[in-house]
Amino acid sequence: FVSKKNFYLSIFFLVVSFYLRTIAITLAIALLAVLISKKQFKQAVILALIFLLAAAPWFYYSQTFSQGGDSYLNQFLRKDVYDESSGIITIYDLLQRIFSNSVQYFFYAVPQAVFSPLLLFDWFASQNAVLPVLGAVVFVAILFGGIVFFKKNHANVLLLYTIFSLAFLLLWGYYDNSVVNRFVLPIFPFLLIFFVAALKEIQLKFSFSKNHLVTAILILIILASFGSSAYFIYSLQKREFTPYYADLIEASLWLKENAPSKSIVYSNEWERIYFFSGFKGFASKKHLDKEGLQKLFSENKIDFVAVFDLDWPEAPLLEEMFAGKKVFESKNGNARIYQI
């Protein structure tokens, strides 16, 4: 660091980054590693102490007040992150998780984020065997660019942050299947830098004139990004107004117009129901039997149960429990509301 001011400003923005996205803990580790590698042990200790003190309230909150006590640590140590009853992860399970995540990130998520033509290719030919091959080529280019970057910058904090973040993603149980993997976004700029570094090195190796190769590929990426954005916007209405989504809105509006004020709704889609109707609700994170559901409804004073035709293990049991109490069914038949 040039000065103490820059050092403490860096720590401040590090803490802000952590409270914005918890994955920034890998940035803290990267910064700590750089300080240690440069034998700046005093600064490393100061950084560690300030960061731990600043982050402690969040760790305490997430461990103590998370829904059902399901903290990040609990999720990480669980065999199946989506099933609380799956037990503690074993070494074999962890190796399986790492392998599965490696395939997803190295062949699909990272290459598609950096080289957007692959994202368009995935949308229109997702089952094509060529896609993972192209993804692997792009990822190898990123690795090569990272090596080039390392030779010029050595133990740069951005390089270490990217490496630690990817390592964390391989260990983490959740995988984001949305259009752009949100876990990759924090390191996307640096992945793109490594990719460009690889292109420039290839350009020098094969004596391409000026920067024509890099320029052409970056223009292709920009055009593909515009194309994918245009397609996403064009297909948005069609995707949002599927029969299921239409029934979700219809059921929510029925609750808004007919349910007494301050009613509480039990549903697997309680967040969206709250968004459209204003009624609070929740769903159990554990699969409950009949007695468990009756106890939960009694303790939380549930007024309505909204069932949608999605994969929800409790749905058949709920409809059996409240048969004869149905007060609403959507036109398409994908949503039903029962009044307790």
Side-chain angles (χ1 to χ4, degrees):
F1 292 95
V2 177
S3 66
K4 286 186 177 180
K5 178 183 177 182
N6 288 347
F7 175 64
Y8 288 107
L9 276 175
S10 297
I11 295 177
F12 171 76
F13 286 114
L14 173 64
V15 172
V16 171
S17 300
F18 172 77
Y19 273 93
L20 289 174
R21 293 297 301 270
T22 314
I23 190 65
I25 193 171
T26 56
L27 179 57
I29 296 171
L31 191 53
L32 189 65
V34 169
L35 290 173
I36 293 173
S37 70
K38 294 184 176 182
K39 298 183 179 180
Q40 297 179 2
F41 301 115
K42 180 180 177 181
Q43 288 90 335
V45 171
I46 293 172
L47 168 68
L49 288 176
I50 294 177
F51 181 78
L52 288 173
L53 288 172
W58 167 250
F59 285 118
Y60 173 76
Y61 172 82
S62 62
Q63 187 69 27
T64 307
F65 298 103
S66 56
Q67 185 176 5
D70 193 24
S71 66
Y72 285 146
L73 180 60
N74 293 335
Q75 294 170 26
F76 177 79
L77 295 175
R78 196 156 58 234
K79 178 179 178 179
D80 182 353
V81 72
Y82 300 100
D83 183 3
E84 290 188 25
S85 62
S86 60
I88 300 295
I89 191 168
T90 65
I91 295 295
Y92 177 72
D93 297 326
L94 183 60
L95 292 175
Q96 279 190 315
R97 178 186 293 179
I98 292 172
F99 175 78
S100 176
N101 286 344
S102 297
V103 171
Q104 291 296 330
Y105 283 107
F106 297 163
F107 291 87
Y108 298 97
V110 169
Q112 288 176 19
V114 173
F115 191 64
S116 50
L118 290 179
L119 185 60
L120 281 176
F121 191 82
D122 185 27
W123 282 356
F124 295 107
S126 58
Q127 302 302 318
N128 196 306
V130 177
L131 181 61
V133 176
L134 295 175
V137 171
V138 173
F139 189 77
V140 168
I142 294 170
L143 285 179
F144 176 62
I147 294 171
V148 172
F149 187 85
F150 174 75
K151 288 180 178 179
K152 293 180 179 179
N153 301 276
H154 302 292
N156 183 281
V157 66
L158 300 181
L159 177 62
L160 291 178
Y161 166 54
T162 305
I163 293 171
F164 292 152
S165 294
L166 283 174
F168 176 82
L169 292 179
L170 297 185
L171 296 169
W172 189 237
Y174 283 110
Y175 181 80
D176 184 16
N177 289 311
S178 55
V179 176
V180 177
N181 190 302
R182 70 180 188 276
F183 298 144
V184 176
L185 286 179
I187 56 174
F188 166 72
F190 316 120
L191 293 169
L192 186 58
I193 288 172
F194 304 152
F195 184 61
V196 172
L199 293 178
K200 295 185 76 172
E201 194 70 18
I202 293 170
Q203 184 173 254
L204 291 172
K205 183 79 173 176
F206 293 96
S207 302
F208 289 110
S209 59
K210 296 183 180 180
N211 289 316
H212 291 168
L213 175 66
V214 177
T215 303
I217 291 179
L218 289 179
I219 289 174
L220 178 62
I221 289 174
I222 292 171
L223 290 176
S225 296
F226 279 123
S228 60
S229 298
Y231 177 75
F232 182 81
I233 294 171
Y234 172 76
S235 60
L236 185 63
Q237 185 174 13
K238 182 180 179 180
R239 285 183 285 107
E240 285 194 341
F241 289 93
T242 59
Y244 164 76
Y245 197 83
D247 286 7
L248 171 63
I249 296 175
E250 186 184 346
S252 301
L253 293 179
W254 184 91
L255 284 167
K256 186 175 182 179
E257 294 173 1
N258 297 279
S261 61
K262 298 183 179 180
S263 293
I264 299 178
V265 182
Y266 185 81
S267 175
N268 57 327
E269 288 287 354
W270 66 268
E271 298 101 328
R272 290 180 178 175
I273 290 175
Y274 176 72
F275 178 77
F276 289 117
S277 69
F279 287 109
K280 294 182 179 180
F282 63 90
S284 172
K285 300 187 76 173
K286 299 179 180 179
H287 305 325
L288 301 177
D289 57 15
K290 185 174 182 179
E291 291 183 2
L293 286 169
Q294 289 174 335
K295 181 180 178 182
L296 183 144
F297 293 157
S298 175
E299 291 176 348
N300 294 278
K301 300 180 179 179
I302 303 296
D303 300 292
F304 292 92
V305 173
V307 178
F308 298 90
D309 288 340
L310 277 180
D311 293 331
W312 193 25
E314 294 174 2
L317 178 58
L318 287 167
E319 297 198 276
E320 178 186 326
M321 288 173 61
F322 300 108
K325 295 187 177 182
K326 183 166 65 177
V327 293
F328 169 83
E329 183 168 358
S330 61
K331 294 176 182 178
N332 294 316
N334 298 313
R336 293 163 294 284
I337 297 176
Y338 300 88
Q339 186 169 11
I340 300 178

